[in-house]
Structure formats: structure tokens, C-alpha cells
Amino acid sequence: MSTVKPSTMPTMPALARALPKVEDEIRALATSSSLPIVNTYTGRITAAGGKRLRSVLILAGELAASGMITDKGITSAACVELLHAGSLVHDDLMDNAEERRGVRTVNADWGVGPAVLVGDFMLARASQAALDQISPYAASVMAQSVTQLVEGQVLEVLDLYNAHRTPDNALRSIELKTGALFEVGCVLAAHCADADDATAAALSQYGALFGLMFQILDDLLDLASTAERLGKPVGNDIRQGVYTFPLLRAMTSDQRALLEKRGRDLTDAELDHLLMELRDTSLVADTLAHCTSLAAQAVRGLPDLPESEALGVLRELPGAYLDWAASQIA
């Protein structure tokens, strides 16, 4: 997806002041190896930036639950972003990608083996910082999210080029791969705020639903946006054999037969024609409707907290992100 931050995203002064501190913490953690060459690559990866949606959720969640953003909250945001960045290094390796966010990938520049190690360093450093700077509980939930991330990726690998993959299997994979990172961020927000169990559970569910919506929208844009808007070619998931939830719900029997027969050998012309056909169906409308439902579920499930600007950000964020994603569709 594009690295441009959605301009419609709600924000507030406390978040605007805290997010640069998160960036500083990400940079410090990423470049904390005793080996300069590791720091070169981890620093380059994290400097490429991103939307920092997970950071916004963590900071707004802690602020809504406690009325303040603590140093532990900032570290939590940095740890989750670093964990996410490390997982992307591994994703790039598995996808044989040469570029991400306009930057050469580690595997393209340094090779397969070193890319594995750089990604491992970032995952380990995030969990270590959670243990040292937040709490043993924080380190435990971070480690659990890594387990879920790996299991989600394995489920995806098992279904590569499987034209009969079910929508439910695709959802389960992204619940683990993407939803878990949003969910753990909200769990850490509640933890740093010393929130009660009910608040923690509600924030956790909010994060899981937001993460699910986020990934479904990302998958939709790969099918229905343009290379100019995304900053990368469209249809990459199909090229790589990742048949996503929106695709699986929209495909006709003929399109499924095409992927079953031609999946690994699909030509650019065949892919372009398939994307054109899909855009003439209810793919976009049905997927946006599904994501609208997820956004509403997330907002309805927010904890019963005193009204505040931070709670307003959590309430508005799913819809704002959904609107932005819809604006990127061709």
C-alpha cells in the first residue's frame, strides 16, 4: 500500500507531540546492535517510515484509558512498530521483493541469509525492550504475537496458488498475521494505562477488528487501485499466489478455473484482464460494505470510558481509514 499517511485521519495535540518520541525510540532500538552493518540495514528499514497506525492506536488507547501518555506507552508503540518492521523483512524475503517504500530490501542488497538475521534481530530487540522497559507481561504478549504472526504466515504459505482456498481460511491467516499486531498494541495500551480487565478486553477486540479491516482494505487496493496511487504494481498478491479474502469472495467459477490452471504461469496480460473483470463486479462494493461492518463493530465495542478527545480519535479512526482507502480505488 502507499506510504502516504491518510490526511483524513483524526489527530490531536497530545498524539502529535508523542509520535516523534516514538520515532526516536524506534530508531534507538533498531540501531542498538553492536555490529554497525546490522544497524545500517535496520536503520534504513525503519527510516523508510510508514503509516504508524499501530502507534496511534496504542497512544490514543492509553490516553483514553488513563488520561496520559507514559514513557512505557511510547516504548510499547516503538516495540510494536519494530516487530512489524522485522516481519516485513521476512515478508520481503519470502516474496523475493527487491524494494519496499522506495528502499532496496535487505535480501536484494545483502542476500537471503543476512535478511533472515536482520529480521530476527528486530523481532528479538522488540521483545527484549518490552521486557526491560515495560514489564514481563508486555514481553509475554509480544512473544505471543510473534507466534501468531508466524502461524498466520504458515497458513498463507500452505494455501499459495490454491484457487480453492476458502474466504474463512484467508480471514484466519490475516487475523493472525495482521490482526494480532493491532490487537497486541491495544493490549499494551491497556496495560500501560493500568486499565481494568473489561477495558483491556474491549480495547483488545477493537484492535483485532481494526487490524482485520486494515488488511482486507489493503488486499482490496491490490485488486482495485492503480500502480500510480499505490506506488507499486497492482495484482501482486495474485502474482505471488496469495488469493485474498476479497478475491475469493468475488471470483467466478471461470476465474477460479483460470487460476487453478495458470496460477504460477499467469501472464501480465491474463492478470490485467482478470483485474479488469473483477472491477466490473460487486468486488469493491461488497468488500467496502464488509469493512464498514467491521469498523462499526470495532467502534461499538470500545470500552465505557469518560468522554475525551482520545476516545474520539479511537471512535473516528476506523471510518476515517476506510474513507481514505475508498478514495484510493480506481
Side-chain angles (χ1 to χ4, degrees):
M1 187 183 287
S2 167
T3 59
V4 177
K5 292 185 180 181
S7 59
T8 54
M9 265 199 236
T11 188
M12 54 185 292
L15 293 179
R17 290 192 297 269
L19 285 169
K21 297 178 182 178
V22 174
E23 291 298 326
D24 290 343
E25 185 80 0
I26 292 170
R27 190 180 309 110
L29 292 175
T31 58
S32 59
S33 173
S34 61
L35 302 177
I37 191 168
V38 173
N39 293 333
T40 295
Y41 282 99
T42 54
R44 192 174 73 182
I45 294 160
T46 53
K51 298 179 187 65
R52 302 303 191 226
L53 275 175
R54 298 161 189 80
S55 294
V56 172
L57 292 182
I58 294 168
L59 299 175
E62 184 188 22
L63 190 57
S66 70
M68 66 181 71
I69 294 174
T70 64
D71 289 344
K72 288 185 176 182
I74 288 169
T75 298
S76 294
C79 287
V80 171
E81 296 289 2
L82 190 61
L83 195 159
H84 173 58
S87 74
L88 293 181
V89 173
H90 289 160
D91 280 353
D92 290 338
L93 176 59
M94 294 187 68
D95 295 342
N96 229 6
E98 295 187 355
E99 189 174 289
R100 179 181 288 275
R101 296 173 183 156
V103 175
R104 291 270 292 174
T105 59
V106 182
N107 49 286
D109 256 11
W110 199 12
V112 170
V116 173
L117 298 175
V118 168
D120 287 349
F121 172 82
M122 297 174 82
L123 299 181
R125 191 68 188 90
S127 295
Q128 181 186 8
L131 177 62
D132 294 343
Q133 297 173 232
I134 308 173
S135 70
Y137 173 77
S140 174
V141 296
M142 286 281 290
Q144 182 182 12
S145 71
V146 174
T147 300
Q148 291 174 307
L149 192 156
V150 170
E151 290 177 344
Q153 184 67 61
V154 169
L155 288 177
E156 183 174 286
V157 168
L158 291 174
D159 268 338
L160 288 179
Y161 295 102
N162 178 10
H164 296 282
R165 186 188 198 194
T166 67
D168 283 347
N169 283 353
L171 280 182
R172 181 55 180 157
S173 177
I174 62 175
E175 282 173 352
L176 293 167
K177 273 190 65 179
T178 304
L181 280 184
F182 282 83
E183 183 178 358
V184 74
C186 289
V187 169
L188 290 174
H191 176 62
C192 293
D194 291 324
D196 59 36
D197 289 347
T199 298
L203 284 175
S204 172
Q205 181 66 4
Y206 171 87
L209 289 167
F210 193 108
L212 193 59
M213 181 198 76
F214 172 91
Q215 189 58 53
I216 292 172
L217 289 171
D218 191 76
D219 294 339
L220 175 63
L221 293 183
D222 187 62
L223 298 169
S225 187
T226 64
E228 292 72 27
R229 289 177 177 175
L230 291 186
K232 63 180 182 181
V234 294
N236 272 343
D237 288 332
I238 294 176
R239 285 187 184 91
Q240 293 160 2
V242 180
Y243 301 150
T244 59
F245 178 75
L247 173 68
L248 293 166
R249 293 212 312 168
M251 274 198 301
T252 65
S253 57
D254 287 345
Q255 291 164 346
R256 196 178 302 274
L258 171 69
L259 291 182
E260 186 172 20
K261 181 180 179 181
R262 299 282 301 154
R264 295 179 187 274
D265 302 310
L266 201 68
T267 66
D268 288 345
E270 288 171 327
L271 177 58
D272 289 344
H273 184 70
L274 175 58
L275 292 176
M276 182 181 67
E277 287 184 336
L278 288 167
R279 291 166 186 173
D280 285 337
T281 69
S282 60
L283 164 75
V284 170
D286 289 349
T287 306
L288 290 179
H290 186 82
C291 289
T292 298
S293 176
L294 289 175
Q297 288 178 56
V299 172
R300 281 198 304 270
L302 278 168
D304 184 16
L305 295 170
E307 194 58 45
S308 66
E309 198 174 2
L311 185 61
V313 167
L314 293 177
R315 194 179 291 124
E316 294 171 29
L317 193 56
Y321 192 78
L322 178 60
D323 289 345
W324 175 81
S327 75
Q328 302 304 300
I329 293 169

